[in-house]
Amino acid sequence: MRVHELAKKLGISSKDLLEKLKGLKVDAKSHMSFLENDIAQLVENEVSGTAKKPAPQAVPTPVAKPVVAPPPSPVKAVSVEPPKPEVSKPVAPEVSQPAVAVAQTVIRVSMPITVGTLATVLKLRPSEMIKHLIEMGIFANVNQLLSDAIVFKVAGKIGIAVEKIEEEEILTRMVTDEDPKSLSFRPPVVTMMGHVDHGKTSLLDAIRKTNVADKEAGRITQHIGAYGVDIPGKGHVCFLDTPGHEAFTAMRARGANVTDVVVLVVAADDGIMPQTIEAIDHARAAGVPLVVAINKVDLPNANSMRVKKELQKLDLTPEEWGGKTICVEVSAKTQKGIPQLLEMLLLESEILELKANPNRPAEGTVLESKLTRSHGNVATVLVQKGTLHVGDFVVCGPFYGKIRAMHNDRGKSVKDAGPSFAVEILGISGAPGAGEIFTVVEDDKTARKIAEKRTLKLREKAMQGAMQGAMKKHVSLDGLFSQIKEGALKELKIILKADVQGSIEALSDLLQKISSTKIELRIIHAGVGGINESDVVLAAASDAIIIGFHVQAESKAEVMAEKEGVELRYYNIIYEVVEEVKKAMEGMLEPTQKEVVQGRAEIRQIFKSSKAGNIGGAVVTQGRVSRTHRVRLIRNKIVVFDGKLASLKRFKDDVKEVQEGFECGVALEGHNDIQPRDIVEAYKIEKFAAKL
């Protein structure tokens, strides 16, 4: 008997049963682990027994009384403390009054803002506002937009404190802090991925008992499809069907983490293919659990054992072989194994403990959008938080609107959609891009205001020619060190493409040897063939660089890489790859610092000056002393000062440096205590490139 079967029998979750098994010292790795009949019976008796024990213990009341008795004393102890604040109350108003006065002068402003609106907010006539701007050298008319910097500057000139109202603040007004008690379990969102023609959509058709694949051009999925499946007596699953894996990663690149579980579909007659490996790498890069559906097991040449062996080579060892990867043999044609696959998905979601609050304004992600003649702008959205209703006002990127109608994946009208449900919505003012976040707001005025602000920002960027500069800058070999924040995890991610598998294996082995405890090098994807758009999308989403060995990028991939700011590197010699990557990784390390003594001077005599204070007459005994050097004053082998020189003179002239054997006069910055026989040691800090 498997763990999840016993959990179902006992009426508890698989996770709870795994915890109990751990306490009983029964070795069970996951909910798919097998339990011998005698062990299962023993566990069943133990679990049933522990469930009965608390009842008799709750009967004796004398035990409860000592527990209830102590609370009065802490309550009294707490109640004694209020008088203390009361004593300090007369003082509190005196302290707080100035703060209140300052708070009244702060005016909150939404930015960007026009000259006329700012004048109204600051209670000035437009002509007065324009006059203040002209005095600052800014010529603007009443309807011209002012940037944040100008607003703060002009408000400061007038003597009024201004605070910017953030867009996020308007949105968060709609949602109070999430109370853990308000969260409830939500259905899983599952993405179907795998090699082309391995039966992803056909398998989904079998699950839905529909025929979507016939509607697709060439029976190949051309867009993202979102489908809800209700499993009688068990729950709901939302499936996302993607063209391969490009859209999956494209949405992740835009910050839309929509998937809970990935189902990797592998054809039993075909085995692991290049796109299968890419799909695995994309799922791993996203950190999403993976369930393998071995499809087409009904075919005569199907070989599930070969598929499992190939999966094992990719570190996806099946659970029946002692690994953690759930593998289910299925057939879209005969529907074999489909109930088991659905059960595994629900079990996986149970382990993940997926939760959301359905009783709040909705928020979610746009999966796709289109413009239709009959309905206008239509967006397919996935609700992730709250419940979306017909009539809600939504904001999505620079677009907004009131939801006129909603349809599910079967084209039926629905009035609301909760967490993990996908619907088509009508009524948006434009077609938002995939991966955009939509949010429900309180009214049309708020929605319009937020959308207009976002539109103005986009226009402002366009006018300033900043659209190109706003592009995300990804990791590059030349600028790794400057792009990594101090204290952050140092990791270099690489996508490796080569002409033959042998080159990939050799390069992978050599590159992995470069990794150290200071920097981790991770090859997130390696494959044979040219660099394609999918590689660029993955690199953009994962902040990786792409290395091509004896291969080139497709023209479309090059254009996309330039647009996304992804670095492409081409090599023909294997050791050049290793050497450049190693140099780049060394550049990522903090440079080592070392003090280098430049010279020493001994104080022989003290001269007093009304302007400079004490001046030490000294002789440079070693090296040279420069005006730019840092110096330390050493007395009896103890450092009494460390800082800068206030002046360095030869006779009465200021000089830049004094060489060994020459006399000079030195004054220390902020330090007047100089005595004969003190040593002035000049030094500088040099940085050296760190080595792995």
Side-chain angles (χ1 to χ4, degrees), residues 243-257:
H245 49 265
E246 293 88 347
F248 171 84
T249 310
M251 285 202 298
R252 188 167 62 85
R254 295 186 182 97
N257 299 316

Side-chain angles (χ1 to χ4, degrees), residues 205-451:
D205 292 346
I207 294 172
R208 299 174 65 231
K209 295 183 180 177
T210 59
N211 194 7
V212 178
D214 284 338
K215 300 175 186 177
E216 302 289 353
R219 294 182 62 85
I220 297 174
T221 306
Q222 303 295 318
H223 66 283
I224 303 172
Y227 311 105
V229 176
D230 290 311
I231 305 169
K234 295 183 178 179
H236 180 86
V237 179
C238 179
F239 286 94
L240 302 182
D241 186 22
T242 67
H245 49 265
E246 293 88 347
F248 171 84
T249 310
M251 285 202 298
R252 188 167 62 85
R254 295 186 182 97
N257 299 316
V258 299
T259 304
D260 300 315
V261 183
V262 165
V263 171
L264 179 69
V265 181
V266 185
D269 64 329
D270 210 6
I272 303 297
M273 301 298 286
Q275 275 194 331
T276 313
I277 297 173
E278 289 183 12
I280 293 170
D281 291 336
H282 283 241
R284 281 175 172 166
V288 180
L290 193 144
V291 175
V292 179
I294 304 175
N295 195 20
K296 303 184 181 182
V297 294
D298 57 297
L299 296 178
N301 57 340
N303 191 341
S304 300
M305 189 62 66
R306 186 191 70 175
V307 174
K308 292 178 181 179
K309 287 179 180 178
E310 291 173 346
L311 288 169
Q312 189 176 31
K313 291 179 181 178
L314 297 172
D315 293 329
L316 293 174
T317 306
E319 280 196 323
E320 56 264 38
W321 293 0
K324 295 182 179 180
T325 305
I326 299 173
C327 295
V328 184
E329 296 183 9
V330 297
S331 169
K333 188 175 182 180
T334 65
Q335 297 197 356
K336 175 188 175 182
I338 290 178
Q340 186 185 358
L341 175 63
L342 293 173
E343 189 173 356
M344 291 301 103
L345 292 175
L346 290 174
L347 279 169
E348 194 69 41
S349 66
E350 182 184 301
I351 298 295
L352 292 172
E353 293 186 340
L354 305 172
K355 292 183 179 181
N357 179 8
N359 303 312
R360 53 156 280 180
E363 184 180 312
T365 302
V366 175
L367 300 177
E368 65 175 354
S369 62
K370 56 188 175 182
L371 178 62
T372 64
R373 290 184 179 181
S374 56
H375 296 103
N377 293 302
V378 179
T380 302
V381 300
L382 173 69
V383 181
Q384 293 171 289
K385 298 177 182 177
T387 301
L388 189 63
H389 306 273
V390 172
D392 281 347
F393 296 96
V394 299
V395 180
C396 187
F399 306 114
Y400 73 101
K402 180 180 180 179
I403 298 179
R404 301 198 314 266
M406 291 195 302
H407 302 111
N408 63 15
D409 59 291
R410 298 176 186 270
K412 294 182 180 179
S413 295
V414 293
K415 293 184 178 180
D416 50 56
S420 300
F421 279 77
V423 289
E424 281 188 345
I425 59 174
L426 284 68
I428 305 290
S429 59
E436 288 277 12
I437 303 299
F438 79 84
T439 309
V440 169
V441 294
E442 53 190 2
D443 52 33
D444 181 67
K445 183 180 177 181
T446 304
R448 185 187 297 110
K449 186 175 182 180
I450 295 172

Side-chain angles (χ1 to χ4, degrees), residues 376-670:
N377 293 302
V378 179
T380 302
V381 300
L382 173 69
V383 181
Q384 293 171 289
K385 298 177 182 177
T387 301
L388 189 63
H389 306 273
V390 172
D392 281 347
F393 296 96
V394 299
V395 180
C396 187
F399 306 114
Y400 73 101
K402 180 180 180 179
I403 298 179
R404 301 198 314 266
M406 291 195 302
H407 302 111
N408 63 15
D409 59 291
R410 298 176 186 270
K412 294 182 180 179
S413 295
V414 293
K415 293 184 178 180
D416 50 56
S420 300
F421 279 77
V423 289
E424 281 188 345
I425 59 174
L426 284 68
I428 305 290
S429 59
E436 288 277 12
I437 303 299
F438 79 84
T439 309
V440 169
V441 294
E442 53 190 2
D443 52 33
D444 181 67
K445 183 180 177 181
T446 304
R448 185 187 297 110
K449 186 175 182 180
I450 295 172
E452 286 176 352
K453 279 184 64 179
R454 292 178 178 178
T455 303
L456 285 173
K457 286 182 180 180
L458 289 173
R459 287 178 182 172
E460 191 177 38
K461 285 181 180 179
M463 289 172 64
Q464 296 172 354
M467 290 299 290
Q468 199 71 19
M471 180 183 67
K472 183 181 177 183
K473 299 297 181 184
H474 292 286
V475 173
S476 67
L477 283 182
D478 293 328
L480 278 174
F481 177 69
S482 61
Q483 295 178 47
I484 292 181
K485 295 180 180 178
E486 187 174 348
L489 176 65
K490 293 177 172 62
E491 183 180 56
L492 176 59
K493 298 175 184 176
I494 291 176
I495 294 173
L496 184 61
K497 299 301 288 286
D499 54 343
V500 293
Q501 188 63 36
S503 298
I504 289 175
E505 292 174 359
L507 276 168
S508 298
D509 291 342
L510 288 171
L511 289 173
Q512 294 292 357
K513 290 177 182 177
I514 299 176
S515 291
S516 70
T517 55
K518 298 178 181 178
I519 298 175
E520 181 184 356
L521 183 146
R522 189 153 66 96
I523 299 174
I524 62 172
H525 173 62
V528 175
I531 299 167
N532 54 40
E533 290 176 272
S534 174
D535 298 323
V536 177
V537 170
L538 177 57
S542 305
D543 208 14
I545 64 169
I546 301 176
I547 290 178
F549 185 74
H550 281 295
V551 295
Q552 294 293 316
E554 299 172 358
S555 57
K556 289 184 179 179
E558 283 187 337
V559 172
M560 182 183 287
E562 186 176 352
K563 182 181 177 182
E564 295 290 337
V566 172
E567 183 177 31
L568 303 177
R569 290 267 178 161
Y570 304 105
Y571 299 94
N572 292 319
I573 302 173
I574 195 166
Y575 293 107
E576 283 184 0
V577 183
V578 178
E579 191 173 340
E580 282 209 19
V581 172
K582 186 175 182 179
K583 286 180 180 178
M585 291 176 67
E586 288 176 346
M588 290 169 69
L589 295 173
E590 298 286 352
T592 56
Q593 295 184 348
K594 182 181 179 182
E595 282 188 6
V596 180
V597 175
Q598 301 295 306
R600 290 186 176 88
E602 183 181 345
I603 304 295
R604 300 286 176 85
Q605 193 174 353
I606 306 299
F607 302 95
K608 296 187 181 292
S609 169
S610 57
K611 293 182 179 180
N614 289 344
I615 298 174
V619 175
V620 179
T621 58
Q622 179 184 335
R624 63 190 178 91
V625 176
S626 172
R627 183 74 175 79
T628 59
H629 291 158
R630 287 189 64 87
V631 296
R632 58 171 66 94
L633 187 68
I634 303 172
R635 181 180 302 155
N636 298 325
K637 299 181 180 180
I638 297 174
V639 177
V640 295
F641 169 80
D642 193 330
K644 297 179 180 179
L645 287 171
S647 67
L648 180 65
K649 294 179 178 288
R650 280 276 295 155
F651 302 107
K652 294 184 179 182
D653 299 325
D654 288 322
V655 293
K656 291 183 178 179
E657 70 175 31
V658 180
Q659 297 288 340
E660 183 177 332
F662 289 91
E663 296 179 346
C664 61
V666 295
L668 305 179
E669 193 175 274

Side-chain angles (χ1 to χ4, degrees), residues 100-132:
V100 173
V102 174
Q104 290 174 350
T105 63
V106 177
I107 297 177
R108 311 192 74 217
V109 181
S110 296
M111 303 183 200
I113 190 171
T114 63
V115 173
T117 307
L118 181 62
T120 303
V121 171
L122 299 183
K123 297 180 180 179
L124 296 173
R125 291 195 300 273
S127 58
E128 290 179 311
M129 177 59 66
I130 292 173
K131 183 180 178 182
H132 284 302

